[in-house]
Amino acid sequence: MHILHDQPAEFYSTFRLKTRLATVIEVDNVTELARLDITSSPLVLGEGSNTIFLEPLSRPIIRFTGTAITESWLHADKCLLHVEAGYNWHQLVSDTVDRQLWGIENLALIPGSVGAAPVQNIGAYGIEFADVCVYVDFFSWRTRSIQRLTPEQCQFGYRDSIFKQQLSGDGIIVAVGIMLSTTAKPVLSYQGLDRLAATCSINDIFDQVIATRKSKLPDYREIANCGSFFKNPVISVAEYHQLKLTYPAMPGFILADNTVKVPAAWLIDQQGLKGYRLHDVGCYLRQPLVLINYGNGTSEDLLALITLIQDKVRTAYRIHLEPEVRLLDSNGHQYV
Ligand code: EPU
């Protein structure tokens, strides 16, 4: 176990606002986790690719850094991987592609740790974490033991799960179980992948996803960012038809429950905000849904930019853009 004091927040958030974190505790096994003297519930952090610290943080942060992987073959072609939460997500995708195990190749290059994947049910190019999840192991602060949750118990939704809702603050994810297959199952429905042949290899998909992401999304090591900043809003079919009368070009994807998901990037783009810069923060030129920090961005500037985007979109379309990124105040609570 490592306990670090007075840490620069830039090391723990890929948006890199400059502030301080009082305590960071790193634990790499469950035995040590059970021994920890936890008085107030610590804030759980992975690699910080979806978290922004707006203010100096007094609440202790905890990170599970164990990276062990074990595998079991349940059927001839089905492999169950048990992966500890500290493993890097993209590394896992890369390992499984090397081994020709199908299931998460469309989720290449998503930043962050394996433990963060279930929290917001990461998704891209037609696949989400829920599609391969068999279980999530959650260590509870209250019982000091691991509870194994089924996918149903995880209550996965669009960028949502029980870990963001009822179980938020109650414990930490220590491992996940995912089922992969040696049988090819290409998912090529998403724009960008639809040009691949149905007989393509897992490496073709992996390479195409990486090329597509690189062409649209900034690498956080070069330009500080936390990926898509807002969720794509979901509105009713009636509201969508109404808006189409004024904005015939507005894209929308009909969902199973008769609602429509509208691309937030389009709404922001239409407001002329592509490449918009406010002091040292702004909307990325190639994908305006990604907010970026040019280097010396401040929380004041970021909050002003968020308000400006939300106000413009609300005024034009009566649609509220909800942040997808976790924005935290000095107590580690979600900033609203
Ligand atoms: N669009 C514009 N202008 C732009 C860019 C996009 O109008 O400059 C419109 C287009 O209509 C386009 C649509 O927005 O078809 C969707 O854009 P894109 O395919 O880039 O996807 P997205 O909806 O913006 C979502 C996820 C991404 C994920 C991609 C690919 C959310 C909030 N974001 O983005 O996830 O990589 O789909 O599956 O759901 C993340 O969560 O951090 C993330 C990057």
Side-chain angles (χ1 to χ4, degrees), residues 133-137 147-156 162-163:
C133 178
V134 180
Y135 60 78
V136 175
D137 284 349
Q147 180 190 356
R148 179 160 288 186
L149 284 91
T150 63
E152 292 70 32
Q153 289 171 322
C154 293
Q155 297 173 19
F156 290 122
I162 194 167
F163 309 106

Side-chain angles (χ1 to χ4, degrees), residues 27-57:
V27 182
D28 71 1
N29 64 76
V30 175
T31 313
E32 279 190 347
L33 209 51
R35 277 202 214 114
L36 263 184
D37 177 23
I38 290 167
T39 40
S40 63
S41 96
L43 182 86
V44 178
L45 187 72
E47 294 178 16
S49 55
N50 206 47
T51 299
I52 297 180
F53 301 103
L54 292 171
E55 299 170 343
L57 184 76

Side-chain angles (χ1 to χ4, degrees), residues 11 42 53-54 62 74 77 83 119 156 173 199 218 253 265 297 314:
F11 292 180
F53 301 103
L54 292 171
I62 188 156
L74 302 184
D77 71 332
V83 190
V119 178
F156 290 122
I173 291 170
T199 50
F253 306 95
R314 192 181 298 110

